[in-house]
């Protein structure tokens, strides 16, 4: 078909088409359009077919990427998101409770959940409870004067407020605590008893063959929650502190844990608010010093160191009101006193046996008749007795 007269044939418009597959250039072809002639169309069609064939062959040869595409991990996502937030490089997010990638990496085995802060606190609390002190080493108070003075103070306190009877410690339980410990098995109890026995020599050396007299005078409190009788100042206080350190050192050397790490302050506790927690709900949160003000400078008496005990906090107390003793060591005047008491007990048992034999003998009729005859005949019975 001839172009219209007076009009020029439109120039051919050519487009270069580049075919790509996965970022690789495969082939190129020139496409002719608009007013191309039949011959040009045929030529263009032929070139297009060739280009198509080349593209197909290149497509077959192109290698497809193998394997699965890696998905971003949770920790990676969280880190990317946190990186866009303010204060991403500080500890603010941890304080606000957001989970970080480091926390996610600390997962347990498959199937187990991540340990929450609450679970961790419960475990710590349980562990702490399992390590609570259940044994202690102490010096018992046996002086009746000290016990009587303590009971007088307690009676005055109860008269002012009967509810406080539950915070009083029985006079039979009075003692000076040297150390407290946790013993989880009978083997550990045995080890502690051996440690106490082993410390005897150190105590004897510190005593230097002399008695240690401990005078108690006046009263004080810890935060108005624990009321106690004070040990008067003096050289006896320093020596008692050295004895407590020697016993503690022996326990630690033998691998026995000592749970109290506070400085040693010898005292006699006789009121403890923690013994009656329900009193707090009744408004009693402190022990008013006015309750025992009249005894603030009272002379309670002297206690001579004669024995050191390993006692249980949980086992049933003995008949005299003191704690159950696993082991005791005696020395000084107390040791001699124990020996004298043992000798007297043996003599008493011997006399009782002889009296029992005499009663059996006197119960026989023949012996009674003989005694009657001798008494009436004026004869003495010294030989019989």
């Amino acid at each position: 078909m001839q172009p219209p007269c007076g009009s020029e044939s439109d120039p051919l418009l050519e487009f270069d088409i580049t075919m790509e597959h996965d970022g690789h250039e495969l082939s190129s072809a020139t496409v002719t359009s608009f007013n191309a002639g039949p011959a040009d169309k045929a030529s263009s069609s032929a070139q297009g077919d060739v280009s198509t064939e080349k593209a197909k062959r290149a497509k077959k040869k192109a290698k497809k990427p193998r394997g699965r595409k890696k998905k971003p991990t949770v920790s990676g996502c969280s880190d990317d998101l946190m990186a866009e937030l303010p204060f991403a490089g500080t500890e603010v997010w941890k304080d606000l409770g957001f989970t970080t990638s480091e926390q996610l990496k600390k997962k347990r085995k498959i199937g187990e959940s991540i340990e929450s802060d609450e679970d961790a606190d419960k475990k710590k609390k349980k562990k702490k409870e399992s390590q609570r002190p259940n044994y202690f080493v102490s010096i018992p108070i046996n002086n009746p004067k000290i016990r009587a003075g303590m009971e007088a103070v307690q009676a005055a306190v109860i008269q002012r407020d009967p509810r406080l009877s539950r915070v009083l410690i029985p006079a039979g339980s009075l003692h000076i605590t040297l150390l407290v410990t946790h013993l989880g098995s009978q083997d550990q109890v045995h080890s502690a008893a051996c440690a106490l026995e082993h410390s005897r020599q150190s105590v004897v050396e510190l005593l230097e063959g002399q008695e240690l007299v401990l005078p108690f005078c006046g009263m004080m409190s810890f935060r108005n929650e624990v009321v106690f009788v004070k040990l008067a100042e003096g050289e006896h206080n320093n020596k008692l502190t050295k004895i407590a350190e020697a016993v503690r050192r022996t326990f630690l050397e033998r691998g026995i844990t000592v749970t109290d790490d506070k400085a040693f302050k010898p005292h006699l506790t006789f009121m403890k608010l923690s013994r009656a927690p329900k009193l707090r709900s009744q408004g009693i949160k402190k022990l008013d010093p006015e309750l025992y003000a009249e005894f603030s400078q009272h002379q309670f008496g002297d206690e001579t160191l004669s024995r050191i005990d390993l006692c249980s906090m949980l086992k049933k107390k003995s008949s005299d009101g003191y704690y159950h003793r696993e082991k005791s060591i005696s020395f000084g005047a107390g040791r001699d006193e124990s020996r004298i008491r043992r000798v007297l007990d043996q003599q008493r048992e011997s006399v009782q046996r002889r009296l029992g034999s005499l009663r059996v003998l006197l119960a026989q009729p023949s012996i009674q008749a003989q005694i009657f005859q001798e008494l009436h005949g004026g004869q003495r019975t010294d030989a019989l007795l």
Side-chain angles (χ1 to χ4, degrees), residues 309-327:
D309 302 322
L310 172 64
C311 300
S312 170
M313 297 181 184
L314 305 179
K315 293 184 179 180
K316 185 178 179 180
K317 291 184 177 181
S318 58
S319 57
D320 60 356
Y322 197 63
Y323 294 90
H324 173 80
R325 291 182 291 168
E326 296 286 350
K327 175 68 179 178

Side-chain angles (χ1 to χ4, degrees), residues 73-362:
T73 60
V74 177
S75 60
C77 293
S78 61
D79 289 344
D80 293 341
L81 292 174
M82 291 184 66
E84 298 177 3
L85 297 173
F87 310 107
T90 65
E91 298 293 329
V92 175
W93 296 108
K94 292 183 180 179
D95 296 338
L96 293 176
F98 287 88
T99 304
T100 62
S101 59
E102 294 180 358
Q103 292 174 326
L104 292 174
K105 290 178 182 178
K106 293 181 180 179
K107 286 185 178 180
R108 299 177 182 175
K109 297 178 181 179
I110 298 174
E112 296 183 355
S113 59
I114 302 176
E115 184 179 22
S116 64
D117 293 339
E118 185 178 354
D119 294 335
D121 292 340
K122 287 182 180 179
K123 283 189 175 182
K124 288 180 181 179
K125 185 177 180 181
K126 187 175 181 181
K127 185 178 180 180
K128 186 177 181 180
E129 290 178 352
S130 65
Q131 296 298 322
R132 282 183 177 177
N134 55 356
Y135 284 84
F136 64 98
V137 177
S138 64
I139 298 174
I141 302 301
N142 298 317
N143 188 344
K145 181 180 177 181
I146 298 177
R147 293 187 178 185
M150 200 76 66
E151 289 174 345
V153 178
Q154 293 177 342
V157 170
I158 295 175
Q159 187 176 4
R160 289 179 173 86
D161 192 341
R163 294 176 298 175
L164 295 178
S165 60
R166 288 174 285 176
V167 307
L168 303 180
I169 296 177
S173 301
L174 291 176
H175 63 277
I176 302 173
T177 303
L178 300 184
L179 64 87
V180 295
T181 181
H182 174 83
L183 304 177
S185 64
Q186 191 58 38
D187 291 338
Q188 292 181 354
V189 174
H190 178 71
S191 299
C194 293
L196 181 60
E197 179 64 35
H198 188 73
S199 67
R200 181 202 298 271
Q201 186 61 33
S202 299
V203 176
V204 171
E205 292 175 358
L206 290 170
L207 291 175
E208 299 176 341
Q210 300 178 357
E211 292 183 349
L212 179 58
V213 180
L214 306 173
F216 291 94
C217 173
M219 304 178 67
M220 287 186 66
S221 70
F222 293 132
R223 301 183 301 274
N224 288 329
E225 295 179 359
V226 178
V227 184
F228 59 90
V229 176
K230 299 185 299 181
L231 178 64
E233 296 294 333
E235 182 59 29
H236 55 271
N237 207 332
N238 298 330
K239 186 168 289 188
L240 180 60
T241 301
K242 292 180 180 179
I243 290 175
E245 291 175 351
V247 176
R248 176 188 292 264
R249 183 169 57 253
T250 305
F251 271 60
L252 293 175
E253 288 174 354
R254 296 194 165 233
I256 301 172
T257 303
V258 178
T259 56
D260 58 329
D261 54 358
K262 298 180 180 179
F264 176 65
K265 294 181 180 180
H267 59 278
L268 299 181
T269 302
F270 71 95
M271 290 177 63
K272 205 171 185 180
L273 192 58
S274 60
R275 289 172 60 90
K278 293 183 178 180
L279 290 179
R280 293 184 179 274
S281 61
Q282 300 177 17
I284 303 178
K285 298 181 180 180
K286 299 291 182 180
L287 296 172
D288 189 356
E290 291 297 326
L291 294 169
Y292 49 88
E294 58 184 295
F295 298 92
S296 59
Q297 301 299 325
H298 182 73
Q299 298 285 339
F300 286 89
D302 302 339
E303 178 69 31
T304 301
L305 175 61
S306 60
R307 198 179 77 214
I308 298 180
D309 302 322
L310 172 64
C311 300
S312 170
M313 297 181 184
L314 305 179
K315 293 184 179 180
K316 185 178 179 180
K317 291 184 177 181
S318 58
S319 57
D320 60 356
Y322 197 63
Y323 294 90
H324 173 80
R325 291 182 291 168
E326 296 286 350
K327 175 68 179 178
S328 298
I329 56 174
S330 301
F331 33 76
R335 196 172 185 178
D336 296 336
E337 183 181 346
S338 299
R339 182 178 58 80
I340 294 172
R341 187 181 296 108
R342 188 164 54 252
V343 172
L344 291 176
D345 290 341
Q346 292 175 355
Q347 292 178 352
R348 187 182 299 107
E349 291 177 0
S350 177
V351 171
Q352 289 177 350
R353 285 196 301 269
R354 293 178 64 183
L355 289 174
S357 300
L358 183 58
R359 290 192 188 95
V360 173
L361 184 63
L362 293 176

